[in-house]
Amino acid sequence: MDIRFYNTLTHRVEPFTPIDAPNVYMYNCGPTVYDYAHIGNFRTFVFADVLRRFLELAGHKVHQVMNITDVGHMTDDQLADGGGEDKMAAAATRLKESKKDGRALVENPDDPYAVAEFFTTAFIDDAKRLNLKIADEYPGQMPRATDHVEPSMIPMIRSLIEKDHAYVADDGAVYFSVQSFPEYGKLSGNSLDHLKGGAGGRVQDSHQTHKRHPADFLLWKPDASHLMKWDSPWGEGYPGWHIECSAMARALLQRDTIDIHTGGEDNIFPHHECEIAQTCGATGHDRFANFWLHSRFLLVEGEKMSKSKGNFHTVRDVLEGKVTGRPVDPAVLRFELLKGHYRSNINFTAKGLADSASAVDRLRTAERAVSASSIHVSMRTIDNIDAEYSVINEFKAALSEDLNISGALGVLFSWLKSNPTNLIEMHDILTITNEVLAILPGSDAYVIIKDNTGTHVGSVDQDIKMKCKALDDARVAKDYDKSDAIRKEIESAGYEVKTTKKGTVASKRLA
Ligand code: AMP
Ligand code: ZN
């Protein structure tokens, strides 16, 4: 299937071909865990999730890494060279103040690890409620920047110094030398000439004293008094924000050039520009990611929703009804965050949520009609199903054109409007479109069906999925007689049953 994406690097919509198909290696900049992630952040994370799910539906095997930033992100990091206070340290101060009002969110706000852990757990809970596959895949174990300082960031900084892409300045800090990397500015358009002129205020005079070029950015800051610090050849201190993603992408995806890198539009400069310089500087390759995809902001009253502006709604506030006055179903919030094209702003409104609620309702009504019946859908490969249903073909075709979600939803909802009555058709279309939308229950990939080459081609047997869930429930309830009996039932339907971190997975090879 031909897929095209808009690539920020080339400013064009381009055919997407993975380096090592069917594998796709993708890195998503994750949350900075100094506060709850807001629904603007989740607009960007849901976009990455839809992208992953669509690639899987198109037959790719996606290796996805999303990091947790728990160190080094400064309050002035929108400037090329950082500055200000560490966001984790700022969080400690804020949390202590909130404790004064009698609200002790975190037991010991002076411990930045405790603060990070608290908000990481909150992030994973929210991500699960919004059905992000990555949160299901690594429950509680998404990669933390603090675990990668010694094994990956310090070695990368050392190699950048060896290759003359970085230097130790008079103040003892290590900076990346942007003049050593002629491609600097290619992603964002902020060439060095432009940056000398101030880049719209994003290169700050006050930080220039020890640097060779105003746009040189921090890799390591020696500071023995910092709350989070590590030993390094440049003294005890902490890493800059940008190095973490370069180092973690390389270490965790285990390659120098990856297929896709994503983030919100504010990540383009300086963060992603700096990541490219670091990774390409260290590896010597001319590409870090072949495709750079960026989502536009979610707005409130026409302004970017942001933690620093304080105009933000958390996922839990929305779900608990603190924003609209009535509780919101997680599936409705997910739909609201995914229904707009990722390269357009979305404006968060109560009216939008109400529209999403009725869309989710239409999907659920159709799904209820299917699950109330006792049809048993025989196994087919997704490709066979595509050939049968123009709705699925058109849904996929829309998404393959730079994730045209409105086109894809248009196809699905016009079909629903035609009041379909064929239960098998309804089952197939709802199940397969739900692989991407993940709005209906049972969307977890409990059943893996492999074709004769061993490729994962999809999960379509609702009945087996329900049995896998029942098996998990019985195991949680420690009713092992029941779980054994269910396991036998699944096996007798021709499946191999495995217990994984995600829960029970049943797989079957198609002849
Ligand atoms: P942060 O937690 O600040 O590191 O941000 C996590 C991700 O959310 C980054 O990819 C940001 O670009 C993205 N982001 C921040 N604010 C918004 C917003 N209002 N709308 C969409 N994405 C956002
Ligand atoms: Zn990043």
Side-chain angles (χ1 to χ4, degrees):
M1 140 173 258
D2 292 336
I3 297 175
R4 292 163 19 109
F5 292 133
Y6 179 84
N7 190 351
T8 310
L9 190 63
T10 58
H11 316 291
R12 281 188 286 130
V13 176
E14 294 183 328
F16 173 70
T17 320
I19 300 165
D20 177 24
N23 295 291
V24 172
Y25 294 87
M26 169 163 91
Y27 186 89
N28 317 118
C29 286
T32 307
V33 285
Y34 71 115
D35 206 335
Y36 293 108
H38 56 66
I39 55 170
N41 301 130
F42 271 100
R43 186 279 139 120
T44 291
F45 304 141
V46 167
F47 144 67
D49 186 62
V50 168
L51 173 60
R52 174 202 173 141
R53 288 169 177 274
F54 163 65
L55 287 166
E56 286 178 342
L57 185 62
H60 293 292
K61 177 164 176 45
V62 182
H63 307 263
Q64 181 188 14
V65 170
M66 184 186 283
N67 68 307
I68 301 279
T69 299
D70 54 359
V71 66
H73 198 160
M74 314 299 280
T75 48
D76 291 342
D77 263 336
Q78 75 279 17
L79 307 170
D81 45 359
E85 205 184 349
D86 185 308
K87 291 193 173 184
M88 299 307 300
T93 316
R94 185 167 38 81
L95 289 169
K96 258 186 288 185
E97 279 163 11
S98 65
K99 204 169 179 179
K100 272 188 223 143
D101 312 329
R103 288 188 294 131
L105 261 187
V106 182
E107 278 291 313
N108 39 350
D110 275 328
D111 175 3
Y113 287 91
V115 173
E117 209 41 49
F118 177 84
F119 288 117
T120 301
T121 307
F123 168 76
I124 291 169
D125 285 351
D126 291 346
K128 282 185 158 183
R129 274 187 272 188
L130 293 183
N131 240 341
L132 299 199
K133 240 183 181 175
I134 188 96
D136 242 2
E137 194 169 50
Y138 303 110
Q141 305 164 37
M142 291 178 62
R144 270 72 160 169
T146 44
D147 290 332
H148 289 265
V149 177
E150 277 155 344
S152 350
M153 296 185 218
I154 291 177
M156 193 178 251
I157 298 172
R158 193 186 284 126
S159 110
L160 287 169
I161 296 176
E162 278 162 16
K163 293 179 176 161
D164 285 331
H165 283 302
Y167 60 93
V168 182
D170 298 343
D171 60 353
V174 184
Y175 291 101
F176 187 94
S177 162
V178 290
Q179 283 157 306
S180 76
F181 189 72
E183 300 275 277
Y184 192 82
K186 201 172 161 201
L187 180 76
S188 61
N190 284 321
S191 63
L192 292 187
D193 282 349
H194 182 191
L195 284 171
K196 261 186 219 145
R202 291 199 282 179
V203 175
Q204 247 187 354
D205 282 339
S206 55
H207 292 280
Q208 288 173 15
T209 32
H210 302 280
K211 295 193 298 183
R212 293 182 187 162
H213 187 281
D216 288 354
F217 55 90
L218 187 77
L219 297 176
W220 188 265
K221 175 90 175 161
D223 180 356
S225 66
H226 198 70
L227 282 170
M228 288 169 139
K229 60 188 174 201
W230 290 262
D231 271 335
S232 85
W234 319 285
E236 228 182 343
Y238 61 93
W241 170 37
H242 314 303
I243 194 72
E244 97 181 47
C245 292
S246 285
M248 290 169 84
R250 195 180 187 195
L252 295 165
L253 293 170
Q254 299 186 325
R255 57 212 55 238
D256 291 346
T257 303
I258 62 173
D259 294 297
I260 303 179
H261 195 312
T262 73
E265 59 178 309
D266 58 339
N267 284 158
I268 299 173
F269 185 84
H271 188 47
H272 290 167
E273 194 69 70
C274 297
E275 279 190 43
I276 293 175
Q278 295 165 151
T279 302
C280 296
T283 63
H285 293 296
D286 57 355
R287 281 280 176 105
F288 168 22
N290 276 339
F291 277 76
W292 288 83
L293 271 62
H294 293 100
S295 51
R296 299 288 298 271
F297 289 143
L298 176 142
L299 308 176
V300 228
E301 324 248 338
E303 266 209 79
K304 177 194 172 194
M305 177 173 284
S306 83
K307 289 178 214 175
S308 50
K309 281 194 199 134
N311 64 346
F312 67 91
H313 304 313
T314 62
V315 168
R316 47 202 67 210
D317 282 352
V318 175
L319 300 185
E320 285 164 15
K322 290 191 185 139
V323 176
T324 52
R326 57 162 86 160
V328 173
D329 188 314
V332 171
L333 180 56
R334 179 176 167 97
F335 192 88
E336 178 66 14
L337 295 177
L338 67 70
K339 75 182 181 191
H341 190 258
Y342 76 96
R343 285 199 295 119
S344 301
N345 287 121
I346 47 176
N347 211 354
F348 183 73
T349 60
K351 159 91 173 67
L353 266 184
D355 292 346
S356 292
S358 55
V360 168
D361 212 44
R362 265 179 284 160
L363 287 170
R364 285 191 175 146
T365 308
E367 203 253 352
R368 267 197 300 273
V370 177
S371 50
S373 75
S374 57
I375 55 154
H376 180 82
V377 181
S378 61
M379 292 291 174
R380 278 163 294 170
T381 66
I382 292 217
D383 284 344
N384 286 342
I385 291 178
D386 282 358
E388 253 173 78
Y389 299 116
S390 60
V391 174
I392 294 176
N393 265 333
E394 287 166 21
F395 179 85
K396 283 169 72 174
L399 291 174
S400 68
E401 192 54 35
D402 196 28
L403 285 187
N404 176 4
I405 188 77
S406 330
L409 293 174
V411 171
L412 177 63
F413 283 95
S414 338
W415 165 74
L416 277 177
K417 243 194 190 150
S418 72
N419 291 323
T421 48
N422 178 331
L423 290 172
I424 294 191
E425 170 191 278
M426 288 170 75
H427 169 273
D428 288 352
I429 293 177
L430 291 174
T431 307
I432 289 173
T433 53
N434 198 52
E435 295 278 325
V436 177
L437 303 176
I439 294 296
L440 297 171
S443 58
D444 322 354
Y446 278 102
V447 181
I448 297 177
I449 302 170
K450 294 169 177 166
D451 66 11
N452 49 9
T453 63
T455 320
H456 169 199
V457 291
S459 46
V460 287
D461 195 316
Q462 210 63 13
D463 182 41
I464 298 291
K465 275 186 178 178
M466 275 155 65
K467 287 202 165 108
C468 291
K469 271 205 175 108
L471 198 158
D472 287 339
D473 291 346
R475 198 176 282 131
V476 169
K478 296 200 164 45
D479 186 346
Y480 298 114
D481 288 345
K482 188 168 176 192
S483 67
D484 281 348
I486 302 174
R487 167 185 280 270
K488 286 205 181 94
E489 276 177 43
I490 305 175
E491 282 171 347
S492 64
Y495 287 85
E496 197 185 312
V497 181
K498 280 202 190 110
T499 309
T500 72
K501 270 185 274 172
K502 262 197 308 199
T504 300
V505 172
S507 62
K508 181 182 206 172
R509 198 170 282 277
L510 296 179

